[in-house]
Amino acid sequence: MGIRIAVLASGRGSNFQSIIDGIKEGDIDGEVVVLISDKPDAYAIERARQNGIPTRVIPPKECASREEMNLKIREALGSYSPDLIVLAGYMRIITDELLIPYLHRIINIHPALLPSFPGLDGQKQAFEYGVKVSGCTVHFVDGGCDTGPIIEQACVDIRDCKSADEVCEKILPFEHKAMRSVVAKFSRGRFVVEGRKVRYEDGRK
Ligand code: GRF
């Protein structure tokens, strides 16, 4: 039986699409059981609909605090029993309300080589800093902002990029590949976290 994947997304959802494609093409052994968004107009919701995936919108303005928002997400996820929660362009902090019940089962993608350029607009930060190489990082989520143990990274030479937008465009396909590959591995084995180190063991027990 494949894994049950829940996706949280705030925007266009191209990383979410890479998971849908990975399932359709047989790379990922599992299904997306729900898409949750904080934005009612996120294009990710439309992608979910097109693929028959249930959606839930939890707007932050209906929550008194960050903790309450995370609690509502936990409640919404409950009946779907996800094995893995993927933050695919989800732009909010995850708190203990979700972290504790889903320890080492929540992953995020960041468009820079962490620990460089965490937080918003990682590609713009890299461009303005003048680095020659940037990339993307898939990591486990902890209580910080883009600070959890690193699962996978891809390097991208950005010397030819003339703007932050060009950096975004150049890194994006590497994000899709890394996201799909990590979710596929998760569906076929397990990641063992030892401190900051993440090791992969093939085969699900
Ligand atoms: C990606 O660049 C991702 O790394 C960042 O937000 C962007 C989301 O893009 N966290 P999309 O919604 O997956 O197209």
Side-chain angles (χ1 to χ4, degrees), residues 17 20 24 43-53 55:
Q17 186 70 49
I20 296 172
K24 280 190 186 154
Y43 188 65
I45 296 174
E46 179 55 29
R47 294 186 197 264
R49 288 200 182 117
Q50 285 169 7
N51 288 278
I53 296 166
T55 61

Side-chain angles (χ1 to χ4, degrees), residues 123-196:
Q123 307 95 323
K124 184 162 177 259
Q125 292 183 53
F127 178 73
E128 285 174 357
Y129 199 91
V131 293
K132 307 300 179 206
V133 174
S134 191
C136 62
T137 305
V138 181
H139 63 93
F140 281 110
V141 175
D142 63 10
C145 179
D146 302 322
T147 50
I150 292 172
I151 306 170
E152 188 154 316
Q153 293 186 300
C155 295
V156 182
D157 187 329
I158 58 166
R159 274 174 292 195
D160 59 344
C161 294
K162 310 252 174 326
S163 66
D165 283 348
E166 280 188 34
V167 176
C168 295
E169 207 179 307
K170 194 157 187 199
I171 291 176
L172 195 61
F174 291 86
E175 291 189 42
H176 298 158
K177 193 161 170 262
M179 172 63 90
R180 176 169 164 158
S181 148
V182 168
V183 176
K185 279 183 164 175
F186 202 103
S187 75
R188 299 184 186 281
R190 62 185 195 119
F191 290 104
V192 182
V193 184
E194 286 158 350
R196 286 219 53 88

Side-chain angles (χ1 to χ4, degrees), residues 56-67:
R56 280 290 303 272
V57 177
I58 303 178
K61 62 174 189 289
E62 288 174 16
C63 307
S65 63
R66 194 179 262 175
E67 287 71 22

